[in-house]
Amino acid sequence: AGWKIGRSPIYHTVTAADGTVKLLLKLEDNRLIETVGIPVEDEKGSMRLTACVSSQVGCPLRCSFCATGKGGYSRNLQRHEIIEQVLAIEDIFKHRVTNVVFMGMGEPMLNLKSVLDAHRCLNKDVQIGQRMITISTVGVPNTIKKLASHKLQSTLAVSLHAPNQKLREMIVPSAKSYPLDAIMKDCRDYFAETSRRVSFEYALLAGVNDSVEQARELAELLHEWGRGYHVNLIPFNPIEGSEYRRPNKKTVSAFAGALESRKITVSIRQTRGLDASAACGQLRNNFQKSPLTIESDREESQSDVAVAC
């Protein structure tokens, strides 16, 4: 009847010194996607295992600092291709995944139906609590409103990366079609609809968006549009061929301090898997510089080779 069962095979595995594991899964059409398992042990010795999952093969938004965008875009993932990433991480670690973040390859809001279907399965069938799931977006017009209508208890993380529209357009080209004020209004409405605090991701790029003055500008922006916002600072994870650099610890601390002094709650993401090409899209690009085109599928499947390095 044309139905197939089973899971996508693991094509390549890299384990970092800190225990982070990055997998490349080979899909039925020979395309490669990344998923990352991040283990964190708490003071009591119990482990939190986070699966960072992809929602697309590549990404069409091409944010200037992101390795995934440099690799091009092919297609949306189907819901089972999202869910099996979590199961693959559980198999590798022999441990239940406790948290899921849609922060891997791709823009989840451009594949919202499959993301919501996968979210439902992960919550109901795999039994991961909604509050343990985070959906990240760089911002796609009208989709935050659509997500709000589902009234999920999961966290919405908006990739901001700049305190003003001009700088944001330089870092995130797609920002031209979704002005900062429109995003902030949608985030305010999202909170009103769901009572769930929006988290803002902010990748710190040395000499670009990491000054104390820009931190103050960011605080003013957040205060203008509401209260209770959280900022997650992400020191840039270096990628090959990028013009951006990682800021030093003193700069990161000064930026965080400027936000905290203005009553903005801040966390600094601990860099994990730096020696495992853990920046989004980085490992995939080592093996498959760009997603396979439809025309190349037949030729690729005959040779069973997905390496273009």
Side-chain angles (χ1 to χ4, degrees):
W3 289 94
K4 295 184 179 181
I5 61 170
R7 302 234 299 270
S8 298
I10 295 175
Y11 181 80
H12 190 73
T13 305
V14 178
T15 303
D18 61 14
T20 297
V21 175
K22 172 165 273 193
L23 306 178
L24 287 181
L25 298 184
K26 187 175 182 181
L27 306 179
E28 190 177 4
D29 58 6
N30 290 325
R31 291 172 171 87
L32 301 178
I33 57 166
E34 295 178 354
T35 187
V36 183
I38 308 168
V40 177
E41 196 170 297
D42 64 20
E43 298 170 355
K44 298 178 182 178
S46 61
M47 187 171 79
R48 183 176 80 243
L49 179 58
T50 299
C52 180
V53 300
S54 297
S55 55
Q56 295 180 305
V57 183
C59 184
L61 296 186
R62 297 182 178 272
C63 296
S64 62
F65 59 85
C66 180
T68 298
K70 292 180 184 300
Y73 167 75
S74 177
R75 65 173 175 85
N76 285 335
L77 293 181
Q78 300 176 61
R79 62 182 174 184
H80 71 274
E81 292 171 325
I82 297 172
I83 296 161
E84 69 178 356
Q85 295 175 61
V86 176
L87 302 182
I89 293 296
E90 290 191 339
D91 287 349
I92 288 288
F93 282 89
K94 301 293 189 287
H95 192 283
R96 278 185 55 80
V97 164
T98 57
N99 298 67
V100 174
V101 292
F102 284 85
M103 293 182 181
M105 296 167 57
E107 166 53 63
M109 294 297 199
L110 290 176
N111 188 19
L112 193 54
K113 183 182 186 304
S114 290
V115 165
L116 289 172
D117 285 347
H119 179 285
R120 190 176 302 112
C121 176
L122 292 170
N123 177 228
K124 299 293 186 184
D125 302 319
V126 186
Q127 297 190 331
I128 297 171
Q130 285 199 23
R131 295 199 174 204
M132 300 296 108
I133 301 174
T134 296
I135 299 174
S136 177
T137 179
V138 77
V140 176
N142 302 316
T143 55
I144 292 177
K145 291 179 182 178
K146 191 177 294 185
L147 183 64
S149 70
H150 291 272
K151 291 185 167 57
L152 303 180
Q153 287 300 295
S154 297
T155 299
L156 171 64
V158 175
S159 297
L160 211 55
H161 307 318
N164 59 67
Q165 179 66 15
K166 183 178 179 181
L167 181 59
R168 193 165 193 270
E169 285 183 17
M170 187 189 87
I171 298 171
V172 182
S174 63
K176 293 186 178 84
S177 64
Y178 197 7
L180 198 50
D181 284 355
I183 287 183
M184 296 306 298
K185 180 183 183 301
D186 286 346
C187 288
R188 184 181 63 187
D189 294 346
Y190 183 89
F191 176 75
E193 182 87 6
T194 66
S195 300
R196 293 289 292 160
R197 178 181 73 172
V198 176
S199 178
F200 290 102
E201 308 285 309
Y202 195 101
L204 286 167
L205 309 169
V208 177
N209 66 352
D210 63 344
S211 71
V212 169
E213 290 73 21
Q214 287 164 324
R216 292 171 183 151
E217 188 180 0
L218 177 60
E220 289 175 9
L221 175 72
L222 297 183
H223 283 309
E224 179 186 349
W225 287 98
R227 290 176 294 175
Y229 291 132
H230 175 85
V231 175
N232 187 20
L233 299 177
I234 310 165
F236 177 60
N237 197 351
I239 61 174
E240 183 183 350
S242 174
E243 68 274 24
Y244 294 121
R245 295 175 295 109
R246 184 184 181 89
N248 59 44
K249 289 184 178 181
K250 184 178 179 181
T251 300
V252 174
S253 295
F255 195 98
L259 290 176
E260 289 173 335
S261 68
R262 285 160 178 76
K263 304 292 190 293
I264 302 292
T265 60
V266 182
S267 58
I268 300 173
R269 183 180 296 174
Q270 181 184 357
T271 300
R272 301 295 302 269
L274 201 59
D275 52 333
S277 297
C280 184
Q282 205 169 346
L283 182 62
R284 195 284 306 267
N285 289 354
N286 291 343
F287 285 85
Q288 195 174 75
K289 294 290 185 186
S290 58
L292 300 175
T293 59
I294 298 299
E295 291 76 16
S296 70
D297 286 358
R298 183 178 302 172
E299 177 185 344
E300 193 70 31
S301 63
Q302 287 172 349
S303 62
D304 198 34
V305 174
V307 179
C309 57

